[in-house]
Amino acid sequence: MRLRGLPASEGPVEVLKVDSSRPDRRTLDAAAEAVLRGGVIAFPTDTVYGLGCSLLDVAAVEMVGRLKRRARDHAYISLIPDPSQALGLALSVSGIAKRLIDRCWPGPLSLIFVAAEIVPPRVRGAGGTIALRCPNDVLLDGGPRTRGIPSTLVDVSGPRPKLLRRGALDVTPWLGEFEDLTRERG
């Protein structure tokens, strides 16, 4: 099996099946090893399927960009296994961001922060930001995603939150005064 658009030199795509309720440790280890070798994996989150790689491996991040046909100036949402990891990847975490993390993570909310120095420039978005999400599950092939609604996206990198994408979670009650940029997009 091959991904459409993947160069033949990249080799065949290996499909690893995972039982969402009882994941096999060997399968998860194989996926982790692929990521550590600089590979890209596809997996379901609690919202939609995504492509993943090591955040710190710039070549792998660029491969994800090519596979998704993403413009170079578009940032990526980085998934983290524990909410506390935001403290190491974000330069600072505001009060509103802490409130959203406490109430909504793990879950279908992505937050944009000013990136810490450890985040490679190629992974950062406009203005040196990083988008983070702590999902409920990170598995490989758990079957079709029934919800099909992407995560909500909130920019908390400035003094006033900006709602960039309405998604699987309504966080507007916790934002206080915020800019709703979803209305400007149509």
Side-chain angles (χ1 to χ4, degrees):
M1 175 185 307
R2 303 193 58 73
L3 286 177
R4 187 185 333 212
L6 188 64
S9 62
E10 297 297 328
V13 174
E14 183 179 5
V15 176
L16 305 173
K17 297 268 185 188
V18 174
D19 178 348
S20 296
S21 61
R22 298 180 64 196
D24 176 61
R25 179 67 185 201
R26 289 175 297 182
T27 303
L28 297 178
D29 287 346
E33 184 179 323
V35 169
L36 290 173
R37 286 192 326 258
V40 173
I41 62 171
F43 57 93
T45 69
D46 46 349
T47 55
V48 295
Y49 270 85
L51 295 177
C53 66
S54 170
L55 165 71
L56 302 177
D57 187 332
V58 175
V61 170
E62 289 180 351
M63 173 61 82
V64 169
R66 287 192 303 274
L67 290 170
K68 293 182 81 168
R69 295 184 175 98
R70 175 165 285 196
R72 285 190 58 86
D73 61 341
H74 284 163
Y76 300 90
I77 296 174
S78 299
L79 303 182
I80 55 177
D82 187 87
S84 66
Q85 289 188 340
L87 301 174
L89 296 170
L91 188 60
S92 66
V93 178
S94 67
I96 187 77
K98 286 178 187 165
R99 185 166 50 243
L100 290 169
I101 288 169
D102 289 344
R103 292 183 178 175
C104 304
W105 279 4
L109 172 65
S110 301
L111 298 172
I112 299 173
F113 300 91
V114 174
E117 287 295 317
I118 192 171
V119 178
R122 177 61 185 104
V123 178
R124 298 179 195 176
T129 57
I130 183 169
L132 299 175
R133 184 160 89 84
C134 181
N136 279 323
D137 67 320
V138 180
L139 301 175
L140 304 178
D141 182 353
R145 299 289 80 198
T146 55
R147 292 175 73 182
I149 301 171
S151 64
T152 303
L153 182 60
V154 178
D155 184 340
V156 292
S157 66
R160 187 171 166 201
K162 297 175 187 173
L163 182 61
L164 302 179
R165 179 176 66 206
R166 292 181 184 270
L169 183 64
D170 179 12
V171 296
T172 56
W174 306 307
L175 292 179
E177 188 176 327
F178 70 97
E179 291 181 58
D180 187 351
L181 299 181
T182 64
R183 295 180 185 188
E184 293 177 12
R185 295 183 183 142

